Amino acid sequence: MDRLSSANLLPESFPSNDMTEQLALIWRQIRAPLIAPLLRFAVGICLIMSLMLFIERVYMAVVIVLVKLFGKRPEKRYKWEPIRDDIELGNSAYPMVLVQIPMYNEKEVYQLSIGAACGLSWPSDRIIIQVLDDSTDPAIKELVTMECQRWASKGINIKYEIRDNRNGYKAGALKEGMKRSYVKDCDYVAIFDADFQPEPDYLWRTVPFLVHNPELALVQARWKFVNSDECLMTRMQEMSLDYHFTVEQEVGSSTHAFFGFNGTAGVWRINALNEAGGWKDRTTVEDMDLAVRASLKGWKFVFVGDLKVKNELPSTFKAYRYQQHRWSCGPANLFRKMVMEILRNKRVTPWKKFHVIYAFFFVRKIVAHIVTFTFYCVVIPATVLVPEVQVPKWGAVYIPSIITLLNAVSTPKSLHLLVFWILFENVMSLHRTKATFIGLLEAGRVNEWVVTEKLGDAMKHKSGKQIKKSRSRIGERLHVLELFAGVYLFFCASYDLAFGRNHFYIYLYLQAAAFFVMGFGYIGTFVPTS
């Protein structure tokens, strides 16, 4: 029998032995009828999502400008006046305040948080400090116990509370803390995570809002990052979070009296917290869950942007990834659980329902993550390989540029890092998109809770110790998703450089490099020395 050649098994139009040319010919034959229509559909969907995000960003920018022009400070929108001494009533004229500090194996920062809470200026018989310690390390529990005893010996009313399980994580600890008998005498509860340092006048500036405005349930302060200049990664985080506080929180407070509680640095009216159903552990964003439920009961919130509480940003890529997974997966899962409840609610206006469902959840918590990764890291690079599909310049250049500038103006000191921020955010959008779909589909990691690692940077900065630069630990741990995305972008960039007409290759090479850097380990952080 004559030996069959490979050429006999392929169409005559194929070159005989060049596999690369054969693959290229197959690609050209299926590209126009099969790939191009699907890619055009993807481009259309991404352009719609980009427009939604663009309109939302412009709307918030306009609101912020108007707020600044007309000086709509919280003190002007709500009644605020200092609580004054009453000779007849004495300290009973002051409301009773509970301060909760949830912590879990916080060896580096437990002294910091307890000390700051015990240093709050408020009548000593009208404040209770409650340390909710879920630590599993006996040595750390002993240290926290001794610290509480030290402050108690100074006359501070401090309670050390533990439980025999970690059910519900932070939400479970806060819920358990509210069950204590002494809490029934309290009017308000202030919550601070273990790395937060409120200034002594924090209660003097927040509690009067709740005292004089019975419709208010929450007063939220802004975060101030003590380690924002520690490394490039913390600078990038500061840019993103500054926009969240300066714009998103301020707009929600000014126009709808609703925004997501940040889980810390806020004071709640206990009656409002209880009416909303208390703490629930059905998602990893128990703070946002409580805020939405309280809002549906008709309660209002106020954001005090000029009141800042010091805290620490994650300074390792691993810690930041886990944090972003929780912050992206939780809201998507909460949206899935609450969208019908919001629609059926009869106590809030249709305009507020629209704001919560469309703007707060859908655009900011779902669309923003999906379009950032899908459009800029998948679809646009794919158009390089499919010349039949074009992305309009307004969608590929103008809208992204305006959105980026509107995000970046909140941190003017870091404008020169804008390119790095874009690349960093696109890499992180991979994890946020994955987490968003996990939340929407209630997949396996939907309730994963990993406590954000804290290195005690705030304490070390405060004590004046030197922060020394560590060597970048490249290759310490490989991240397959980032490496895969980097290979894809590198291939698209090389194809565009050699054969393309889109001229995206500079951007694609830069983005590929960012994925590779973060995929091959840590991005080179500054780690405090012991």
Side-chain angles (χ1 to χ4, degrees):
M1 179 180 289
D2 293 335
R3 185 178 300 171
L4 294 176
S5 66
S6 60
N8 297 129
L9 301 177
L10 296 169
E12 294 181 359
S13 57
F14 279 101
S16 55
N17 290 318
D18 192 339
M19 183 59 68
T20 302
E21 291 185 10
Q22 291 175 7
L23 293 175
L25 182 56
I26 294 174
W27 172 248
R28 287 194 295 271
Q29 289 178 340
I30 67 172
R31 188 175 64 197
L34 296 177
I35 307 300
L38 293 175
L39 190 56
R40 286 194 189 96
F41 178 76
V43 169
I45 295 297
C46 289
L47 289 175
I48 291 173
M49 290 193 293
S50 294
L51 280 172
M52 293 168 63
L53 188 60
F54 172 74
I55 293 170
E56 175 68 10
R57 291 290 192 267
V58 171
Y59 160 74
M60 289 193 291
V62 171
V63 171
I64 286 299
V65 170
L66 293 176
V67 169
K68 299 299 182 183
L69 285 177
F70 292 99
K72 292 292 185 178
R73 293 170 55 85
E75 292 82 358
K76 292 185 177 181
R77 286 185 281 114
Y78 296 97
K79 182 180 180 181
W80 189 97
E81 60 183 41
I83 301 175
R84 304 187 185 280
D85 293 331
D86 190 302
I87 297 176
E88 295 183 0
L89 296 177
N91 286 345
S92 61
Y94 293 84
M96 194 74 177
V97 178
L98 174 70
V99 178
Q100 291 184 312
I101 311 172
M103 57 176 59
Y104 173 73
N105 292 337
E106 306 288 1
K107 181 178 179 180
E108 302 293 341
V109 295
Y110 74 93
Q111 287 181 309
L112 179 73
S113 56
I114 295 175
C118 292
L120 288 170
S121 175
W122 199 252
S124 59
D125 60 337
R126 306 300 292 171
I127 185 172
I128 302 173
I129 311 298
Q130 187 185 65
V131 178
L132 304 169
D133 189 12
D134 274 358
S135 298
T136 54
D137 187 328
I140 297 177
K141 292 179 74 170
E142 180 64 24
L143 291 172
V144 177
T145 301
M146 292 173 61
E147 183 69 9
C148 292
Q149 291 174 349
R150 187 173 72 86
W151 283 104
S153 66
K154 296 181 179 182
I156 300 297
N157 188 1
I158 185 168
K159 308 290 185 181
Y160 178 66
E161 305 289 358
I162 60 174
R163 52 187 185 144
D164 56 7
N165 60 70
R166 287 195 69 216
N167 294 340
Y169 303 106
K170 179 181 174 180
L174 293 170
K175 183 177 182 179
E176 193 68 24
M178 295 299 294
K179 294 179 180 179
R180 297 297 182 261
S181 59
Y182 52 81
V183 174
K184 70 179 185 296
D185 298 323
C186 298
D187 303 292
Y188 310 115
V189 54
I191 302 167
F192 300 102
D193 282 349
D195 59 317
F196 277 71
Q197 312 170 67
E199 296 295 333
D201 66 345
Y202 176 87
L203 295 178
W204 292 108
R205 298 183 62 182
T206 54
V207 171
F209 280 108
L210 299 169
V211 170
H212 300 302
N213 301 275
E215 74 276 19
L216 284 179
L218 166 69
V219 182
Q220 174 72 61
R222 184 175 172 175
W223 299 359
K224 180 180 180 181
F225 313 110
V226 297
N227 64 331
S228 60
D229 294 330
E230 182 184 342
C231 63
L232 183 60
M233 192 178 73
T234 53
R235 291 288 292 271
M236 303 299 100
Q237 294 177 61
E238 181 188 35
M239 293 177 70
S240 300
L241 288 171
D242 275 352
Y243 179 82
H244 168 70
F245 286 107
T246 306
V247 179
E248 291 181 345
Q249 299 287 80
E250 191 66 66
V251 168
S253 177
S254 301
T255 58
H256 309 282
F258 169 78
F259 49 83
F261 174 44
N262 296 124
T264 180
V267 185
W268 276 91
R269 186 187 303 274
I270 292 181
N271 285 342
L273 192 153
N274 291 334
E275 185 183 343
W279 295 103
K280 294 185 178 181
D281 58 2
R282 56 181 175 173
T283 71
T284 56
V285 284
E286 71 293 323
D287 42 14
M288 186 182 295
D289 187 354
L290 175 61
V292 174
R293 286 184 280 114
S295 178
L296 295 180
K297 294 292 184 180
W299 291 98
K300 296 181 179 180
F301 312 147
V302 61
F303 174 70
V304 186
D306 59 353
L307 176 58
K308 301 178 181 180
V309 179
K310 297 177 183 178
N311 72 297
E312 175 187 336
L313 290 165
S315 54
T316 66
F317 184 40
K318 178 182 177 182
Y320 188 58
R321 280 183 64 183
Y322 280 125
Q323 183 197 70
Q324 292 303 297
H325 174 87
R326 187 171 76 249
W327 286 5
S328 302
C329 178
N333 189 236
L334 182 62
F335 175 70
R336 171 192 170 113
K337 287 177 167 24
M338 293 204 68
V339 60
M340 295 308 300
E341 181 180 345
I342 297 170
L343 287 172
R344 291 193 293 263
N345 185 275
K346 297 180 180 180
R347 297 187 62 173
V348 298
T349 63
W351 175 239
K352 191 169 185 177
K353 289 183 187 179
F354 175 80
H355 168 72
V356 174
I357 293 176
Y358 175 79
F360 179 76
F361 273 117
F362 189 63
V363 176
R364 300 182 202 170
K365 309 301 181 183
I366 298 176
V367 167
H369 300 327
I370 293 175
V371 73
T372 302
F373 175 69
T374 305
F375 194 30
Y376 305 123
C377 298
V378 178
V379 173
I380 288 180
T383 62
V384 170
L385 308 176
V386 186
E388 293 86 356
V389 179
Q390 295 184 359
V391 180
K393 188 174 291 186
W394 59 265
V397 179
Y398 299 146
I399 282 182
S401 299
I402 295 173
I403 291 175
T404 299
L405 290 174
L406 290 176
N407 277 269
V409 293
S410 300
T411 314
K413 72 173 185 177
S414 297
L415 282 175
H416 62 290
L417 300 173
L418 197 56
V419 173
F420 295 101
W421 180 77
I422 293 171
L423 299 176
F424 177 76
E425 283 294 295
N426 284 351
V427 173
M428 292 310 304
S429 69
L430 165 64
H431 298 287
R432 294 178 184 133
T433 300
K434 181 181 70 171
T436 298
F437 280 114
I438 289 173
L440 288 173
L441 301 175
E442 279 199 316
R445 294 178 60 197
V446 67
N447 289 319
E448 180 184 60
W449 181 289
V450 178
V451 176
T452 304
E453 179 186 14
K454 304 173 187 70
L455 302 179
D457 293 344
M459 183 181 294
K460 292 180 173 65
H461 277 277
K462 186 175 180 180
S463 63
K465 293 183 180 180
Q466 286 286 344
I467 305 297
K468 295 184 179 181
K469 182 179 178 181
S470 72
R471 290 180 294 179
S472 300
R473 293 169 287 185
I474 302 299
E476 182 169 320
R477 180 182 178 187
L478 297 180
H479 303 291
V480 177
L481 287 176
E482 284 92 336
L483 294 177
F484 181 80
V487 170
Y488 168 72
L489 290 166
F490 185 83
F491 173 76
C492 292
S494 301
Y495 188 93
D496 192 27
L497 181 62
F499 310 107
R501 49 168 177 67
N502 290 325
H503 307 298
F504 291 138
Y505 57 86
I506 296 177
Y507 158 72
L508 295 177
Y509 273 130
L510 288 172
Q511 192 61 69
F515 273 100
F516 282 134
V517 167
M518 299 178 75
F520 275 111
Y522 300 144
I523 61 175
T525 62
F526 294 87
V527 181
T529 57
S530 57

